[in-house]
Amino acid sequence: MLARTLTGSLGNFPRKAKGECLRRNRLDFRIVVQALGLAAVLLSAASCGGGSAKSSTATKHAVPRELYIINAKTGAVDQNFPDLEVSTAVSDGSGGWYIGGCLSCVSGVNRDGLARLRNDGSLDPEFAYRLPKGTVVMSIVHHENVVYAGEGKANSSIKIVAAFDATSGRKLWQVRANAPDYVFSGGGLAFADGKLFVGGNFSRVAGVPRSGLAALDPGTGKPTSWHVHLASERETKGQVNAMSVENGAIYYSGFFKGTETYRENKGLGAISIRTGRPTSWNPEPTNDLDEATAILATHGQVLAGGNGFAVFDARSGRVVPWYKHLTRNANAFAASGNTVYLGASPNDGSGILTRAGGKRVHNLAAVVLPSGRVTNWRPMPSPIPYVRALAVSGQNVLVCG
């Protein structure tokens, strides 16, 4: 019941969210909480016209929070700041974070889709901008003094990519992708080789034919000449649910028509950044992963999670078995140095992370790569959080549920 109701994510955003962003998801979650006897009092949304902010006093009544700041070394949990529903987050390089999702207000201030938090969880009022009401930010990249955001609707892939000044929030440019409504495929953003890569379920970006994956000029947003090449197909058909860059390749979950990886390896593959062609990476089939909705490529390994979890060698594609020391699932990842932090949002019955290295955990753990050694980082927030995204900044990990 719990795993079925708390629906998982593609690109770390709830796949079955209907209506106005996460309203139904939030209601279902509360029903489960009541059924489990974890809460007697449910608090309605705070100010800003029924937005996403919630009072931090919720924890006094055992109502599950959706946002935590946790010390990356000690695991100390900080929840002394307003709660928010956040779907994606990245470090701002100064100890805080840029956050995105179905936001409408933060700390009593109107913020639609995108905001900046200081290291104590408070709103940075200087980062201000105007996005259409109801905007859902699904993916964020911070590079130098620019924040890039992939925007859409609750039931779509990325439909708009926009760039903002990292200090003021002033919009620099935006381009549109023709992603269909109600066909959610997540997507994502990545910065590599001087280009901004955008993935999703689209066939055109800024009017230029690009299917599933495009490279944009980071200064203007215009599509570059780079595109995916498939020798066996006159017209490429692609869809990217999540992606990560490592050693000159874009590792993705999704498919590009004509590639063997889609048919044989449950939608995992890699595209060369230099050539735009599929690489020889052919991940070993495993029953531990049924569907990948999140990917992290780092330290020569590819972590893939969604409905199940597995780790592959980034060159050979062979299964790296250290992940079998984790029970049961992981589909939210964040790397800091050679440490990877993990959590999970339940996805079609796949469950959450309950044990790591033989010890009980509250859906949060950390490993050291390349060995996969489980660290002593085992924070115990209560109730157990539903982890949609993780982001490390300074000495802290932002846990987004």
Side-chain angles (χ1 to χ4, degrees), residues 305-337:
N307 191 351
F309 173 54
V311 181
F312 306 91
D313 185 277
R315 293 190 180 276
S316 68
R318 293 178 181 173
V319 167
V320 181
W322 64 254
Y323 72 88
K324 297 180 183 294
H325 296 294
L326 303 176
T327 308
R328 163 183 183 198
N329 191 33
N331 51 31
F333 315 121
S336 178

Side-chain angles (χ1 to χ4, degrees), residues 90-93 97-98 114-116 127 139-151 161-174 189-191 194-196 216-221:
V90 297
S91 170
D92 67 356
W97 298 269
Y98 296 100
L114 183 66
R116 185 180 187 180
F127 185 78
S139 184
I140 306 172
V141 167
H142 177 215
H143 182 74
E144 295 181 344
N145 197 40
V146 180
V147 175
Y148 303 95
E151 308 166 16
V161 181
F164 303 88
D165 181 272
T167 302
S168 67
R170 178 176 60 90
K171 183 178 284 188
L172 306 176
W173 54 257
Q174 79 170 35
L189 301 176
F191 200 99
K195 304 178 184 69
L196 178 67
L216 308 183
D217 183 311
T220 65

Side-chain angles (χ1 to χ4, degrees), residues 118-190:
R118 300 189 180 108
N119 61 1
D120 62 356
S122 63
L123 176 70
D124 176 6
E126 293 186 14
F127 185 78
Y129 58 93
R130 292 194 176 186
L131 288 177
K133 190 174 181 62
T135 296
V136 180
V137 171
M138 303 162 133
S139 184
I140 306 172
V141 167
H142 177 215
H143 182 74
E144 295 181 344
N145 197 40
V146 180
V147 175
Y148 303 95
E151 308 166 16
K153 297 181 179 180
N155 300 66
S156 76
S157 177
I158 289 176
K159 300 173 76 74
I160 295 175
V161 181
F164 303 88
D165 181 272
T167 302
S168 67
R170 178 176 60 90
K171 183 178 284 188
L172 306 176
W173 54 257
Q174 79 170 35
V175 295
R176 294 184 176 274
N178 69 332
D181 291 335
Y182 308 108
V183 181
F184 191 81
S185 63
L189 301 176

Side-chain angles (χ1 to χ4, degrees), residues 240-252:
V240 171
N241 300 332
M243 62 184 185
S244 184
V245 174
E246 169 83 345
N247 292 332
I250 299 171
Y251 294 87
Y252 66 88

